[in-house]
Amino acid sequence: DGGITQSPKYLFRKEGQNVTLSCEQNLNHDAMYWYRQDPGQGLRLIYYSQIVNDFQKGDIAEGYSVSREKKESFPLTVTSAQKNPTAFYLCASSPETGRSSTGELFFGEGSRLTVL
Amino acid sequence: GDSVTQMEGPVTLSEEAFLTINCTYTATGYPSLFWYVQYPGEGLQLLLKATKADDKGSNKGFEATYRKETTSFHLEKGSVQVSDSAVYFCALSDSGYSTLTFGKGTMLLVSP
């Protein structure tokens, strides 16, 4: 089945450690996104990528890094510089790029990161 | 900048009750509008969308009409079910590139 796979589903990290969240899609979508979800805050955009080897910062990129070496993969690294990393992280993709896109996103099931 | 405001939850209803979740937006251009739904422990799924003024999006008994004059996109359903219990997000896409701006979400709890 086509879809977006995020792993791990749950992750615990000690303060000061970097951690990488995986996002893989087999939908052949060009665009991929990372959002962070906090209770009562809605979703906030961390990074997005329209094409391989290119990505842009979203609204809350500080303390995060990404790479897009393959079309189907868009891993997110939460670095020790992220002050409050405990959150639910959602990866999404879209077949549409450019200013004509309608904004429909396909989401993975999310990864819950807890910093101990 | 763009923003989306939703009514705060939780919204608590009995089965078969009428549902309205209010959503208003601020955008500089002519945005596309969306409702996404998130069931417990899952990612978001697109529920419905409207891309221009006066369009009505509909799916699974839910409806929302794009009202440019009131900058609103309220979600309605005539008769809710227990299985509709979830968090509902209103969102807009104004700048293209699928970078959505989301509201904070409204939790709906439906009891039998």
Side-chain angles (χ1 to χ4, degrees):
Chain A
D1 281 0
I4 299 176
T5 302
Q6 290 188 240
S7 62
K9 197 170 174 107
Y10 299 95
L11 185 62
F12 297 88
R13 181 194 103 176
K14 292 182 181 179
E15 279 195 38
Q17 288 181 334
N18 291 358
V19 62
T20 297
L21 307 180
S22 171
C23 178
E24 303 277 333
Q25 55 101 355
N26 60 6
L27 299 168
N28 199 33
H29 287 174
D30 287 314
M32 297 187 74
Y33 307 81
W34 275 104
Y35 283 89
R36 170 178 170 143
Q37 184 179 16
D38 297 281
Q41 293 289 322
L43 276 71
R44 292 179 289 170
L45 182 65
I46 304 173
Y47 269 98
Y48 65 102
S49 169
Q50 299 290 308
I51 195 170
V52 173
N53 292 324
D54 188 39
F55 47 83
Q56 285 77 42
K57 292 182 179 180
D59 300 320
I60 55 164
E62 185 175 350
Y64 300 97
S65 66
V66 293
S67 63
R68 187 86 187 275
E69 297 177 0
K70 299 184 295 182
K71 184 176 183 177
E72 58 269 23
S73 178
F74 192 41
L76 173 73
T77 297
V78 184
T79 75
S80 56
Q82 169 50 233
K83 296 285 187 280
N84 185 20
T86 294
F88 190 53
Y89 291 89
L90 286 161
C91 180
S93 70
S94 171
E96 303 157 324
T97 61
R99 297 197 64 81
S100 61
S101 65
T102 61
E104 180 174 350
L105 299 181
F106 295 78
F107 283 85
E109 294 195 342
S111 293
R112 186 168 297 282
L113 172 64
T114 303
V115 174
L116 304 173
Chain B
D2 297 344
S3 66
V4 175
T5 303
Q6 293 181 233
M7 61 188 290
E8 293 208 14
V11 173
T12 304
L13 295 173
S14 298
E15 205 163 25
E16 298 182 2
F18 184 85
L19 168 71
T20 300
I21 299 178
N22 290 339
C23 171
T24 57
Y25 67 89
T26 301
T28 52
Y30 299 93
S32 295
L33 301 173
F34 305 83
W35 278 101
Y36 280 83
V37 59
Q38 184 179 34
Y39 298 102
E42 297 183 8
L44 278 70
Q45 305 171 23
L46 178 65
L47 181 59
L48 54 83
K49 67 179 182 183
T51 57
K52 61 183 187 297
D54 299 325
D55 271 1
K56 177 185 281 189
S58 61
N59 186 27
K60 300 181 182 179
F62 291 89
E63 292 183 340
T65 301
Y66 188 162
R67 301 285 188 202
K68 186 170 180 291
E69 63 276 12
T70 55
T71 62
S72 64
F73 193 55
H74 305 320
L75 182 68
E76 296 181 335
K77 187 176 186 184
S79 176
V80 294
Q81 306 299 312
V82 172
S83 57
D84 294 327
S85 297
V87 180
Y88 292 82
F89 291 91
C90 186
L92 70 81
S93 173
D94 190 20
S95 60
Y97 301 103
S98 296
T99 52
L100 298 182
T101 298
F102 286 88
K104 293 185 177 182
T106 303
M107 179 178 288
L108 170 64
L109 299 171
V110 181
S111 56

